[in-house]
Amino acid sequence: MEKMKRAERMVAITQVLMLKPNVLTPLTLFAEQFRTAKSTISEDLMAVKGSLLLSGHGHLETISGAAGGVRYIPEISRKEAAQVLSSLAERLNDKERILAGGFLYMTDLLFDPSILRPLGLIFAGAFRDKKPDVVVTIETKGIPLALVTAEALGLPMVVIRSGNKVTEGSSVSINYVSGSSRRIQTMSLSRRALEPQQRVLIIDDFMKAGGTALGIKNLMEEFEADVVGIGILVEAQITAEPKLVEGYLSLLQLKELNPYSGKTTVVSVF
């Protein structure tokens, strides 16, 4: 490999780090790959660190010692996060998204990577200090959102099933009351999916009364897990009734949904 100039090397280093967020990369690897001294790589990394801070796209963590290296922590600036949520709220306010029965259509947005990635960074930034061990969600529409959050945090993701699945092996199941429909439903999680006493971050796409979130919290107790945070993309605030859970973070609030007038009001609360 032909020896790179410093500017080219810095671009290559940045690309390597951003492709492997939250992964510790030894300086020796860069020194061997780019055929230069570790001291030179250290200088390059300082410049990369400054560029990332100025752009608001994350920061570098340096671990000293023989087993040390550098780790890229992805982030999103508050200004960019506000713009993302404002744009998403505007799209959700389209009257064409109102479905029969008074539901809000969100599926297309929840499976759009260009929308999901910044949302994952927002949730990651909000909960990183809680030091979760795993991100947990319930099938199905919350899965993409939980996955990008887990990626941004460098954590595994666990999916709770609606009912038992033979392919999951031995499972723990609980019944819970849906806060919105007041119906008794079942959720289950394989015993192999979650180690006991882990710190859990719950991520879901929508909360109406909080029955599902409460059910997940109760299921986590069966695993002796500690729920350190609950992140919700859209929280319904149409009625004044209190939610069944407390201490959650919602990025958007649904204030009004009128299928007769065709008016929807979704606002950012970030």
Side-chain angles (χ1 to χ4, degrees):
M1 173 179 180
E2 185 179 347
K3 195 168 183 179
M4 293 182 173
K5 297 178 182 178
R6 185 172 190 239
E8 296 171 334
R9 192 171 60 243
M10 286 173 58
V11 171
I13 289 173
T14 303
Q15 288 178 328
V16 170
L17 292 171
M18 295 185 78
L19 285 172
K20 298 192 294 183
N22 302 289
V23 176
L24 187 65
T25 303
L27 268 60
T28 305
L29 185 146
F30 290 125
E32 293 175 352
Q33 182 175 352
F34 301 118
R35 295 190 301 164
T36 190
K38 288 174 66 175
S39 58
T40 301
I41 295 297
S42 295
E43 294 175 0
D44 293 343
L45 288 170
M46 288 299 294
V48 171
K49 184 176 183 178
S51 298
L52 288 171
L53 288 175
L54 286 174
S55 66
H57 288 153
H59 69 276
L60 297 185
E61 283 185 354
T62 303
I63 311 298
S64 58
V70 64
R71 178 188 292 118
Y72 168 62
I73 306 299
E75 294 174 336
I76 186 171
S77 69
R78 190 166 186 88
K79 180 180 179 180
E80 186 178 353
Q83 291 173 342
V84 167
L85 294 176
S86 176
S87 174
L88 183 56
E90 185 177 346
R91 294 182 67 174
L92 288 171
N93 283 327
D94 186 344
K95 65 180 182 180
E96 298 299 326
R97 292 191 171 275
I98 299 179
L99 302 175
F103 295 98
L104 184 65
Y105 181 70
M106 298 168 49
T107 303
D108 59 329
L109 304 178
L110 292 171
F111 287 84
D112 186 336
S114 66
I115 294 173
L116 287 170
R117 288 194 183 99
L119 293 177
L121 291 174
I122 295 171
F123 277 130
F127 293 108
R128 194 181 301 276
D129 290 345
K130 300 292 185 180
K131 301 186 183 304
D133 298 313
V134 62
V135 176
V136 172
T137 191
I138 188 167
E139 59 181 10
T140 55
K141 289 188 291 184
I143 293 176
L145 188 59
L147 184 60
V148 293
T149 302
E151 180 186 33
L153 287 168
L155 299 175
M157 183 192 72
V158 170
V159 179
I160 296 170
R161 302 294 184 181
S162 300
N164 292 314
K165 303 289 182 182
V166 176
T167 55
E168 297 291 310
S170 176
S171 300
V172 177
S173 299
I174 66 166
N175 293 326
Y176 70 102
V177 180
S178 170
S180 55
S181 64
R182 309 304 300 175
R183 292 184 303 172
I184 296 178
Q185 301 185 50
T186 302
M187 63 173 66
S188 66
L189 182 62
S190 170
R191 293 185 183 275
R192 301 185 183 188
L194 193 65
E195 296 291 331
Q197 300 180 343
Q198 287 197 301
R199 295 172 62 83
V200 167
L201 170 60
I202 298 172
I203 297 292
D204 206 359
D205 63 302
F206 193 85
M207 177 191 286
K208 192 167 186 180
T212 300
L214 180 60
I216 295 175
K217 287 189 68 176
N218 291 338
L219 181 58
M220 292 300 97
E221 291 178 2
E222 298 294 324
F223 287 83
E224 300 178 2
D226 181 17
V227 176
V228 298
I230 301 175
I232 305 296
L233 177 57
V234 180
E235 169 199 2
Q237 282 284 1
I238 299 175
T239 68
E241 292 184 16
K243 303 300 185 204
L244 298 176
V245 292
E246 298 178 344
Y248 58 88
L249 169 69
S250 59
L251 303 184
L252 301 171
Q253 286 185 348
L254 176 62
K255 298 285 190 179
E256 181 182 5
L257 180 62
N258 191 325
Y260 302 104
S261 66
K263 185 176 181 180
T264 305
T265 304
V266 177
V267 298
S268 170
V269 292
F270 185 74

